[in-house]
Amino acid sequence: MVAYVIIPGIDGSDDGHWQSRWERAWGDSAVRIAPGCWTRPELADWVDAVRAAHDIAVARGAGRVVLVAHSLGCWAAAAWLERVRPAGVSAFLAAPPDPRGPAFPAAGAPTFLELSARPLPCPALVVASDDDPYGDATASAALASGWQAPRRSVGAHGHLNSASGLGDWPAGRELLRTLVGGRAPRGADTSDGPAPWEGPTGGSR
């Protein structure tokens, strides 16, 4: 059984957001994190919320857990993965913001400012928009390289949020299926890192 941990960004994901739509479609196979505060995120609180959601998924019998993160949630996911290094986990990282970029909400999320992308201990995929105001193509490529995960551009769709008008985002679901199934996504830019099923040194994991 595959379970999905939903990790939104600041303020959570509203009902029209693709994360919320996917969560409803997955039913009991999905668990959304529940941090103490959505509007002024604290890294330690959000990392603990990822842990708690993962543990719920495992308690329900999940053999594999996929972290489905958006925006600031990508950093909470990466921080938890780095600290815990869990087995049987993959990470779908959509629209990760650049903590050092001019649009990053530094005042609202100060505990995230000093984070840097380091190799992730699990299969991962970075999904980016070419005109994301919180992380342009160069920034998202640098993050993917640091995380040692392949980067996939999905064109110009802003921050890949509700305002982007993605609806159920079928293109995103297809990319997620490549990660879960261990297949390289079609047209993926694999120059930024190994294929989703390979480790930083190219070994199986």
Side-chain angles (χ1 to χ4, degrees):
M1 171 185 168
V2 177
Y4 301 90
V5 171
I6 309 296
I7 312 174
I10 292 178
D11 295 331
S13 295
D14 61 28
D15 286 345
H17 197 289
W18 56 268
Q19 279 185 314
S20 298
R21 291 169 180 258
W22 292 7
E23 181 182 2
R24 289 193 293 271
W26 288 327
D28 290 341
S29 295
V31 182
R32 181 180 292 235
I33 68 166
C37 183
W38 283 111
T39 57
R40 291 189 62 82
E42 292 288 337
L43 179 62
D45 174 42
W46 280 40
V47 168
D48 190 59
V50 175
R51 176 201 59 76
H54 169 268
D55 290 350
I56 291 171
V58 172
R60 290 179 180 176
R64 294 180 59 193
V65 175
V66 182
L67 309 182
V68 180
H70 174 253
S71 191
L72 198 70
C74 296
W75 285 105
W80 178 74
L81 288 168
E82 182 179 346
R83 295 176 189 183
V84 178
R85 307 184 73 81
V89 175
S90 303
F92 180 86
L93 308 173
D98 178 7
R100 294 163 185 77
F104 189 83
T111 55
F112 288 75
L113 286 173
E114 299 304 317
L115 293 175
S116 59
R118 290 188 282 267
L120 295 175
C122 70
L125 181 65
V126 175
V127 181
S129 169
D130 294 337
D131 62 348
D132 189 335
Y134 296 99
D136 61 19
T138 299
S140 63
L143 294 179
S145 178
W147 283 323
Q148 293 199 359
R151 172 187 177 275
R152 180 67 160 93
S153 170
V154 292
H157 293 289
H159 193 45
L160 301 180
N161 53 14
S162 293
S164 300
L166 297 171
D168 290 331
W169 198 24
R173 287 289 292 269
E174 177 58 29
L175 288 170
L176 178 65
R177 280 191 287 270
T178 67
L179 176 65
V180 174
R183 307 188 312 275
R186 294 179 182 176
D189 177 2
T190 57
S191 63
D192 296 322
W197 55 89
E198 295 177 349
T201 59
S204 176
R205 63 178 177 187

